């Protein structure tokens, strides 16, 4: 079975400060991990993914994520937050061993960047 | 062109109405998806089409009827819906079915209200 946990419903950070949005996962095979962002009344936008290789993945809009196999985590990070980063962030996982296209989403974390 | 389009943006329908949601992509993607998203919740997978054929139905009630007329179009036919079906309906596509490394591209969604 696959699952994703985002332990924080809400993260607040001051503009210019580094931000972290946490994600842990559980899969039986190799994990394929994704981050998406959703702005109000919009669809989801793909930010980045981890498939294999370097544990640090760089994505859109200055975001990056670090894959940690021992801690089964894939936290989203950005060195300096912008007010425009305020949105809902979803972590998602696929089990690479199944070949299935199903994406399992976490419950989402609302990021608020305070000016 | 990395865009998935959905029409209409908003839809209000009565419980006895019949309506359809439309989704279109011109990225040559062969996997297409319908998701349902309630407020402040993650998207929930409803249907997956692989090469224009229905491959996954996540036990969705028959009042939702998907259709894939060709590789670029995906419809969701709605009939006799309930107020609890009110939600944001998201369409997504990815390059190839059975390629779990591929990210999904989402449309902006249709905000459905059932009265």
């Amino acid at each position: 079975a696959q699952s994703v946990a985002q332990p924080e419903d809400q993260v607040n950070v001051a503009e210019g400060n580094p931000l972290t949005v946490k994600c842990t996962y559980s899969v039986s095979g190799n994990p394929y991990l994704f981050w998406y962002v959703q702005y109000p009344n919009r669809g989801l936008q793909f930010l980045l993914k981890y498939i294999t290789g370097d544990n640090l993945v760089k994505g859109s809009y200055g975001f990056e994520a670090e894959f940690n196999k021992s801690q089964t985590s894939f936290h989203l990070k950005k060195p300096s937050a912008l007010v425009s980063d305020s949105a809902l962030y979803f972590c998602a996982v696929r089990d690479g061993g199944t070949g299935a296209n199903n994406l399992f989403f976490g419950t989402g974390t609302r990021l608020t960047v305070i000016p | 062109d990395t865009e998935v389009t959905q029409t209409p943006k908003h839809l209000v329908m009565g419980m006895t109405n019949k309506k359809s949601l439309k989704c279109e992509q011109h990225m040559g993607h062969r996997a297409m998806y319908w998701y349902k998203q309630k407020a402040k919740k993650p998207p929930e997978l409803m249907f997956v089409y692989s090469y224009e054929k229905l491959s996954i139905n996540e036990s969705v009630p028959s009042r939702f009827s998907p259709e894939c007329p060709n590789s670029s179009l995906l419809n969701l036919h709605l009939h006799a819906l309930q107020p609890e079906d009110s939600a944001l309906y998201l369409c997504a596509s990815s390059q190839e079915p059975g390629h779990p490394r591929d990210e999904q591209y989402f449309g902006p969604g249709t905000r459905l209200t059932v009265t």
Side-chain angles (χ1 to χ4, degrees):
Chain A
Q2 305 160 74
S3 66
V4 177
Q6 292 181 246
E8 299 158 318
D9 290 336
Q10 174 82 42
V11 169
N12 297 325
V13 63
E15 187 177 22
N17 281 4
L19 70 87
T20 299
V21 182
K22 295 179 181 177
C23 171
T24 58
Y25 65 90
S26 174
V27 296
S28 53
N30 290 325
Y32 294 158
L33 295 155
F34 303 80
W35 275 104
Y36 286 85
V37 59
Q38 186 174 32
Y39 296 98
N41 299 313
R42 302 288 298 276
L44 279 68
Q45 293 180 31
F46 168 73
L47 281 178
L48 50 79
K49 66 180 177 182
Y50 171 82
I51 303 300
T52 186
D54 287 343
N55 290 343
L56 186 63
V57 179
K58 294 190 184 296
S60 307
Y61 313 120
F63 284 93
E64 56 190 29
E66 187 168 10
F67 172 67
N68 187 317
K69 187 174 182 179
S70 62
Q71 297 185 5
T72 61
S73 67
F74 189 56
H75 301 330
L76 182 70
K77 301 182 180 186
K78 188 173 183 182
S80 178
L82 301 173
V83 172
S84 57
D85 293 329
S86 299
L88 186 57
Y89 290 80
F90 289 102
C91 182
V93 68
R94 277 204 200 98
D95 188 335
T98 65
N101 285 56
N102 303 39
L103 261 181
F104 289 84
F105 287 90
T107 49
T109 298
R110 183 162 300 282
L111 173 69
T112 300
V113 181
I114 302 162
Chain B
D1 181 6
T2 58
E3 190 178 26
V4 176
T5 59
Q6 290 187 243
T7 55
K9 290 184 69 172
H10 301 274
L11 178 63
V12 179
M13 61 185 291
M15 288 189 284
T16 58
N17 291 160
K18 285 185 179 180
K19 297 286 184 182
S20 296
L21 309 184
K22 296 185 184 303
C23 172
E24 191 166 3
Q25 57 88 13
H26 294 287
M27 295 177 278
H29 289 177
R30 304 308 299 274
M32 296 186 76
Y33 313 79
W34 279 114
Y35 288 87
K36 173 182 177 180
Q37 186 181 24
K38 301 285 269 186
K40 301 182 182 180
K41 298 290 186 183
E44 299 174 9
L45 184 66
M46 300 175 71
F47 302 104
V48 181
Y49 271 82
S50 303
Y51 301 109
E52 296 98 66
K53 295 197 185 316
L54 183 65
S55 59
I56 295 176
N57 176 340
E58 292 287 350
S59 303
V60 179
S62 60
R63 57 185 184 269
F64 296 92
S65 175
E67 178 196 19
C68 190
N70 60 56
S71 59
S72 300
L73 292 173
L74 187 66
N75 297 324
L76 186 63
H77 302 298
L78 314 173
H79 174 54
L81 294 194
Q82 304 296 311
E84 59 265 28
D85 296 322
S86 299
L88 182 68
Y89 287 83
L90 295 166
C91 175
S93 69
S94 65
Q95 194 155 2
E96 289 287 338
H99 282 206
R101 297 176 174 220
D102 293 343
E103 61 271 26
Q104 293 180 13
Y105 292 86
F106 285 80
T110 294
R111 175 75 59 191
L112 174 67
T113 303
V114 182
T115 59

